[in-house]
Structures are given as C-alpha cells and as structure tokens.
Amino acid sequence: MPKIAKGDRLENIAFEYIKNKITTGEYPTGYRVVEAKLSQELNMSRTPIRRAIINLCHSGFLVHQYNRGAFVQNTEVTITEFFSRMKLVELLMYESTEKLVLREDYVVVDDIIEIAEKVIQYEKNREYELMRGAFEDFICAFIGKLNNDYFNRVIQDLWNEINDNATKEVKLIIVSASDRIAEELAHMIAILKSWDYEQLKKCFQHIMNAMILIAF
C-alpha cells in the first residue's frame, strides 16, 4: 500500500497507484481493473477508486467497456497519435496568442522569452535532452498565459504521456527538428519583444511543419 501523506485526496492516491501499475507494465494492455481488489490493496472505500478509474479513462490510460468494466488501454504514443495531440497544442497556442493580442502589454512575457532563450542555447550546445525539456516548458508557459487550470493540466498530462509512452521515433522528432525549432523561437523572441503578436501563429505553424517533415 502506498504511503499516504497528510492532506492527500484518496482518489489522487488511487489514481497514481493504478497509473504506476500501468506505466511499469504490471497492468498490461487489456488487463481488467477491479475496484474490489484495489479497495483491499489500498485499504480504502471503492468510491475514491471509482473516481480514480473515471479520471484514468479520461486521461487515456483505461477504457470503459459497457457491462464489463475498465481495461488498460494501449498507451503507446505513435507518430500519428503524437501529431493528433500536437493539434490540441496548436489550438491552445493560438488561443493564448489571441489573448496576447487582445491584452497587449498587460500580459507579462518575460518568462516565455527566458525559456525560449534556454531552448536556443541548449540546441546550440547540442544538449538535446535539455533542449527537448525546455521546449516542453516553453509550450506550457505560453499556454499558461490563458490562466486556465484545466488547460494547464491537460498540457502537463499530455507531455507526461508522451515522455512516458512515446515510441523511440516520436521522442526523436523534436530533437531532429531542433535547428528549425530554435530558428523559429528566435523569431518568436523578437516578436514578443516588439509586441507584434499576430505573427506568433505563423512561427508555431512553421515548427509544426518542420516536425511533420521530419516524421514523414
């Protein structure tokens, strides 16, 4: 049974417990998750476990089958699935850009610029793992300007899913397109400093196109 810290919500404990079983392979694809068994293992009622299972279904780790229960979903993120998730990232980047356009100088962008500069420096030094992590941080910080907790959680969960379950080919996409990403981020820094925010969408389109060309 996992150690429960004071203040932890039981459904969060159950969520992380089941998720860990899935990501480590202890619960393989197709494994049926049973509330009663988990209730005994975790020494908690079935209600928080049921909520955790529902959240895991929403997160893509489990799939619910009518009258049969919840089963472990194939969580491997292929190239096609990666780009379907990137479409969501693209839409949220556009929404955040619209907010920058509407609010003009009322939204602080110094943190975005600082992270973008880190991405460029890591790419220059060929520190590709650091570069990939910083690029993810840049996306999260950019979308964070929407001040929407739900979107922030969705994007964080998306990156966690990719880092945990992506195929080797997917993990190489950002690294392989690193020079183009760094180039476009340099343009984005100039745009952010000049407040000509409308041009930001084109930069991110170019990043997306570069990754697509690398992948296919």
Side-chain angles (χ1 to χ4, degrees), residues 81-105:
E81 289 159 346
F82 171 76
F83 282 108
S84 71
R85 286 158 176 75
M86 286 299 101
K87 289 304 292 181
L88 172 61
V89 172
E90 188 175 21
L91 288 172
L92 291 177
M93 290 289 283
Y94 289 174
E95 285 294 321
S96 194
T97 298
E98 288 297 327
K99 181 173 182 179
L100 291 178
V101 171
L102 291 172
R103 297 291 302 276
E104 295 182 343
D105 58 328

Side-chain angles (χ1 to χ4, degrees), residues 2 10-28 31-39 41-42 44-57 61-63 70-73 75:
L10 292 180
E11 66 187 81
N12 292 341
I13 295 296
F15 181 97
E16 292 301 328
Y17 180 80
I18 301 167
K19 178 183 173 183
N20 183 63
K21 296 282 189 182
I22 295 169
T23 56
T24 59
E26 188 171 343
Y27 289 178
Y31 179 88
R32 182 169 177 249
V33 176
V34 181
E35 287 181 18
K37 182 181 177 183
L38 287 165
S39 178
E41 290 178 11
L42 294 170
M44 66 175 66
S45 73
R46 292 171 67 165
T47 299
I49 292 170
R50 189 174 301 119
R51 289 174 181 158
I53 289 172
I54 290 170
N55 289 335
L56 285 160
C57 287
F61 289 97
L62 299 175
V63 59
F71 295 81
V72 175
Q73 180 83 285
T75 56

Side-chain angles (χ1 to χ4, degrees), residues 4 7 10 15 32 37 53 59-60 69 80 90 92 95 109 112 123-124 134 140 150 154-155 169 171 174 206 210:
I4 300 178
L10 292 180
F15 181 97
R32 182 169 177 249
K37 182 181 177 183
I53 289 172
S59 300
T80 301
E90 188 175 21
L92 291 177
E95 285 294 321
V109 296
I112 303 176
E123 199 281 330
K124 183 179 179 181
C140 290
Y150 174 74
V154 165
I155 292 303
E169 291 80 10
K171 290 184 177 180
I174 292 174
H206 294 161

